[in-house]
Amino acid sequence: MKKRPFTLVVQGGSMRGIYAAGVLDAFMEEGLEPSLAFGTSAGSLMLANFLSGDYLRAKKTVLLMASDRRFMSPVNLVRKGSFFDFDYLFDEVPSFLPYDKEKLLSAPIRFYAVATELESCTSTLFEKGESDFFTGLAASCSLPLLSVPVKARGKHYLDGGIVAPIALHEALRMKEGPLIVISTQARGYRKKARVDHPNPLFRKVFEQFPLIEDLVRHPEKVYNPLFDELDSMNDKGDLLAIYPSKDINIKATEREPEVLSEIYSLGHADAKREMRSILSFLSMTRTAKI
């Protein structure tokens, strides 16, 4: 592995996270490993696979998640209060899709999963190695209209993407060396207010945590300024952002393996095409003051 310290941030996006899996596998082929990493939502899952050193496992995990109704099913809403069964993913899936958990935990890389604390409507970092890390990892991926809050540390949490679609500000506060951000949306994508109404099953969530409802209904309030900032910093050379080279238009619960495999291939191809620029960026000795 090339040991020059750098910071890596990975955006989520539910099944769109397979784009990041392609980018990260290209990083693995090149021997690139960060010293500090932040993942939001599915981005945290992709990083957990990447940092375990298992080539292609992130891709296999997404394809399994898409095809296995024990993980992703409306039945889980009744059984567990969440469309996604993370207990199944973390506890049972490794028995038939092996996962090097020990390598992840022992790797000398600081890794944080980003979740949204509902009481304060702020981002919270769950650090690799902490006793509640995997609970935080599940919380980071728990979509607000498809999951009930995850309890940890005496608080309640949902998807980190509500307040930190990319953990840009968190990374800037703590970063080591150059900063690379993997986006799972093409450059220029911006969100609009939701025109649909929240599922009645979760009205109680919004009643209990009123600060969160406005951001769930109006994701553009957080998302759009954050990505304006990302684009600007990328243009100035203060960080390097990797964007999909074409739009990725899939739903959060996409199941079609051919569609998902194409998105993985897009991420891998985009990273390979940009690898010279990535390596050049990482070799720069200057560190921008931000």
Side-chain angles (χ1 to χ4, degrees):
M1 289 289 182
K2 295 175 175 61
K3 294 301 182 181
R4 173 168 171 73
F6 74 96
T7 300
L8 181 62
V9 173
V10 182
Q11 185 184 5
S14 193
M15 305 309 280
R16 216 173 52 246
I18 200 168
Y19 174 85
V23 175
L24 292 171
D25 275 351
F27 277 32
M28 198 177 299
E29 291 168 4
E30 196 64 37
L32 296 176
E33 185 176 88
S35 53
L36 176 63
F38 298 84
T40 295
S41 195
S44 61
L45 282 180
M46 299 305 99
L47 275 169
N49 283 283
F50 169 67
L51 296 178
S52 74
D54 193 341
Y55 184 71
L56 290 177
R57 192 182 190 278
K59 176 186 179 182
K60 294 174 184 176
T61 299
V62 176
L63 293 177
L64 173 69
M65 287 159 55
S67 64
D68 193 336
R69 292 186 181 274
R70 286 172 293 180
F71 172 70
M72 188 167 66
S73 169
V75 174
N76 291 334
L77 284 170
V78 178
R79 291 175 50 247
K80 294 209 161 191
S82 172
F83 192 79
F84 308 99
D85 187 345
F86 290 104
D87 291 333
Y88 171 69
L89 180 65
F90 296 147
D91 298 336
E92 297 186 42
V93 167
S95 67
F96 54 87
L97 184 57
Y99 176 63
D100 196 342
K101 181 178 178 181
E102 291 307 314
K103 182 171 181 179
L104 166 68
L105 294 176
S106 63
I109 300 164
R110 290 191 297 154
F111 168 36
Y112 298 90
V114 184
T116 298
E117 184 199 301
L118 303 188
E119 281 81 0
S120 63
C121 201
T122 57
S123 65
T124 294
L125 302 179
F126 289 85
E127 185 175 6
K128 180 198 76 170
E130 294 180 341
S131 60
D132 57 3
F133 172 70
F134 286 96
T135 301
L137 193 59
S140 178
C141 304
S142 295
L143 301 180
L145 300 183
L146 292 175
S147 307
V148 293
V150 174
K151 295 181 181 179
R153 303 175 180 176
K155 301 288 185 178
H156 298 80
Y157 300 90
L158 281 173
D159 192 311
I162 299 171
V163 295
I166 47 170
L168 179 60
H169 296 155
E170 293 78 1
L172 289 174
R173 287 197 300 268
M174 302 167 63
K175 81 183 188 82
E176 299 175 359
L179 172 59
I180 293 180
V181 177
I182 301 173
S183 172
T184 58
Q185 290 282 18
R187 178 164 178 160
Y189 173 84
R190 296 295 184 269
K191 290 196 172 186
K192 299 178 181 179
R194 289 180 180 271
V195 295
D196 57 326
H197 295 287
N199 188 318
L201 289 173
F202 302 104
R203 284 179 183 162
K204 289 185 179 180
V205 174
F206 295 132
E207 290 172 0
Q208 186 177 359
F209 307 106
L211 294 177
I212 216 70
E213 181 175 3
D214 183 57
L215 291 185
V216 170
R217 290 181 181 273
H218 295 280
E220 76 281 2
K221 290 184 178 181
V222 170
Y223 191 99
N224 295 356
L226 188 61
F227 277 78
D228 287 345
E229 185 177 358
L230 175 70
D231 293 349
S232 175
M233 293 184 68
N234 180 66
D235 292 344
K236 291 187 292 187
D238 293 333
L239 57 77
L240 187 147
I242 300 170
Y243 307 90
S245 55
K246 63 180 182 180
D247 292 339
I248 300 177
N249 297 311
I250 61 171
K251 57 188 178 182
T253 55
E254 177 64 55
R255 292 187 182 274
E256 185 56 49
E258 290 81 6
V259 171
L260 294 169
S261 293
E262 287 179 5
I263 296 171
Y264 168 87
S265 296
L266 177 67
H268 187 265
D270 285 350
K272 296 295 280 187
R273 186 179 58 252
E274 297 297 327
M275 190 55 68
R276 181 174 294 180
S277 296
I278 293 168
L279 294 174
S280 175
F281 179 76
L282 291 178
S283 70
M284 293 190 310
T285 56
R286 76 174 182 88
T287 300
K289 293 183 179 180
I290 300 167

